């Protein structure tokens, strides 16, 4: 292998200075657990001062967006609001609204996700419903048998089966994990033979939602993250700029060996700060 390259690795991508909207992964990109990544605070504050649009995206549909606002405040950021947070739940809401007018939905999700759906004007049906426009599964940490039964009944009756995020597990402290949305979905698939349509990262529906929310051009919108097969693949699938940072999960070698090509390879978001604010 030759010398490691940093910076723009796809000559066709726009310069960092031309990017008008950054969508940021959190863990591994902005923070490592409770610790901020060096330069992340300077980078966010610089975008706030310049008026550059930025958002934090999480595939976790179990928590309320305001929980992430609080998390950002705990990390030391100020001026954060609901508007800065995007979740796979938001992507699902956008998907449902653009695939039906006033869709009636059965949702297996946390109370927080139910609130998010209702606030977006989506009609939620009860567990005894006989029909629905969509059967939706979130990362439901309040899942129970009756929900599984309702999903199976609706899905086997032909109701479209959609799920917020394709994550198999949700990592916890100490090497532990919880079964995530895709593991729960596999139970319904095993019972019914029907695969769900997933919408969060890395699927194009995530970028459809981002561009519709921001009104920005795809080539001036970037996804920044530390995972090739979620963050960077999202950018590739949706035709926006993919910025890989080496501050979290992936190494330079992983990128060379992988088959997802970022537009930029940077040590961390501090490199964006130096390019646009330095
Ligand atoms: Mg990450």
């Amino acid at each position: 292998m030759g010398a490691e390259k940093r910076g723009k690795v796809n000559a066709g991508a726009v310069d960092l200075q031309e990017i008008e909207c950054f969508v940021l992964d959190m863990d591994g990109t902005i923070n490592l657990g409770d610790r901020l990544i060096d330069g992340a605070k300077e980078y966010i504050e610089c975008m706030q001062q310049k008026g550059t649009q930025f958002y934090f995206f999480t595939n976790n549909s179990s928590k309320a967006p305001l929980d992430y606002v609080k998390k950002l405040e705990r990390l030391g950021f100020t001026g954060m609001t609901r508007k800065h947070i995007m979740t796979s739940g938001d992507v699902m809401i956008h998907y449902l609204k653009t695939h039906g007018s006033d869709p009636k939905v059965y949702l297996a999700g946390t109370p927080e996700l139910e609130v998010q759906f209702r606030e977006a004007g989506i009609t939620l049906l009860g567990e005894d419903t006989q029909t629905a426009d969509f059967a939706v599964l979130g990362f439901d940490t309040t899942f129970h048998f009756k929900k599984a039964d309702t999903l199976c009944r609706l899905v086997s009756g032909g109701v479209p089966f959609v799920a917020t995020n394709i994550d198999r597990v949700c990592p916890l402290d100490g090497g532990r994990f919880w079964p995530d949305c895709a593991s729960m979905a596999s139970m319904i698939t095993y019972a019914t033979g029907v695969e769900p349509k997933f919408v969060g990262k890395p699927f194009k529906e995530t970028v459809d939602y981002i561009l519709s929310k921001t009104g920005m051009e795809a080539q001036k919108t970037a996804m920044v993250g530390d995972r090739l097969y979620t963050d960077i693949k999202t950018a590739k699938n949706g035709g926006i700029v993919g910025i890989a940072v080496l501050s979290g999960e992936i190494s330079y070698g992983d990128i060379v060996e992988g088959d997802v090509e970022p537009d930029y390879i940077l040590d961390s978001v501090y490199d964006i700060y130096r390019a646009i604010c330095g």
Side-chain angles (χ1 to χ4, degrees):
M1 188 174 19
E4 294 191 2
K5 276 175 74 178
R6 292 292 190 278
K8 191 195 285 191
V9 290
N10 169 13
V14 298
D15 288 341
L16 289 175
Q17 294 86 343
E18 292 176 60
I19 292 172
E20 294 176 349
C21 175
F22 291 91
V23 181
L24 303 155
D25 170 54
M26 292 178 74
D27 206 33
T29 301
I30 293 296
N31 60 292
L32 287 167
D34 293 332
R35 189 174 72 74
L36 266 187
I37 283 170
D38 288 346
K41 194 163 167 54
E42 290 85 343
Y43 167 54
I44 298 297
E45 286 175 356
C46 151
M47 288 195 292
Q48 287 175 313
Q49 281 158 17
K50 287 168 68 94
T52 304
Q53 281 201 44
F54 66 94
Y55 302 90
F56 299 93
F57 190 98
T58 174
N59 247 9
N60 187 336
S61 63
S62 73
K63 294 183 184 169
L66 284 177
D67 290 336
Y68 287 97
V69 171
K70 287 179 199 147
K71 177 176 179 164
L72 290 165
E73 287 170 349
R74 280 199 304 277
L75 285 166
F77 296 112
T78 55
M80 297 297 155
T81 66
R82 164 68 176 101
K83 153 179 119 45
H84 292 104
I85 309 297
M86 295 173 165
T87 75
S88 64
D90 292 323
V91 177
M92 178 59 80
I93 288 165
H94 181 254
Y95 177 85
L96 296 173
K97 287 186 153 184
T98 51
H99 286 78
S101 63
D102 189 22
K104 313 275 189 297
V105 165
Y106 173 68
L107 169 65
T110 58
E112 289 87 345
L113 189 62
E114 289 177 0
V115 168
Q116 208 172 319
F117 272 52
R118 285 208 182 88
E119 285 178 352
I122 299 221
T123 305
L124 298 185
L125 304 166
E127 281 167 8
D128 292 323
T129 187
Q130 297 302 309
T131 184
D133 295 318
F134 293 95
V136 183
L137 175 63
F139 171 26
D140 187 2
T141 54
T142 60
F143 200 67
H144 54 66
F145 186 78
K146 180 77 177 150
K147 294 186 180 185
D149 175 38
T150 304
L151 285 173
C152 283
R153 191 161 43 74
L154 293 172
V155 169
S156 63
V159 173
F161 180 26
V162 288
T164 56
N165 57 299
I166 200 167
D167 301 88
R168 196 167 50 85
V169 296
C170 174
L172 304 171
D173 289 342
R176 289 186 58 236
F177 64 84
W178 278 343
D180 206 318
C181 184
S183 295
M184 295 178 185
S186 73
M187 176 168 72
I188 310 305
T189 299
Y190 196 64
T192 62
V194 179
E195 302 266 356
K197 174 174 183 54
F198 291 101
V199 300
K201 292 193 282 194
F203 299 102
K204 182 179 174 297
E205 286 76 12
T206 291
V207 174
D208 293 342
Y209 162 70
I210 291 168
L211 296 179
S212 111
K213 171 162 169 159
T214 64
M216 288 289 170
E217 292 172 53
Q219 60 272 29
K220 292 187 176 172
T221 300
M223 171 76 71
V224 187
D226 70 316
R227 285 188 179 182
L228 274 188
Y229 291 95
T230 49
D231 305 313
I232 305 308
K233 197 154 187 195
T234 306
K236 297 289 103 182
N237 285 342
I240 61 175
V241 180
I243 302 178
V245 287
L246 305 179
S247 49
E249 195 167 284
I250 48 164
S251 66
Y252 190 85
D254 294 330
I255 296 175
V256 172
E257 285 164 22
D259 55 9
V260 180
E261 293 178 15
D263 297 299
Y264 283 83
I265 302 172
L266 304 175
D267 285 323
S268 74
V269 291
Y270 189 59
D271 291 342
I272 308 178
Y273 166 78
R274 287 196 305 191
I276 68 177
C277 303

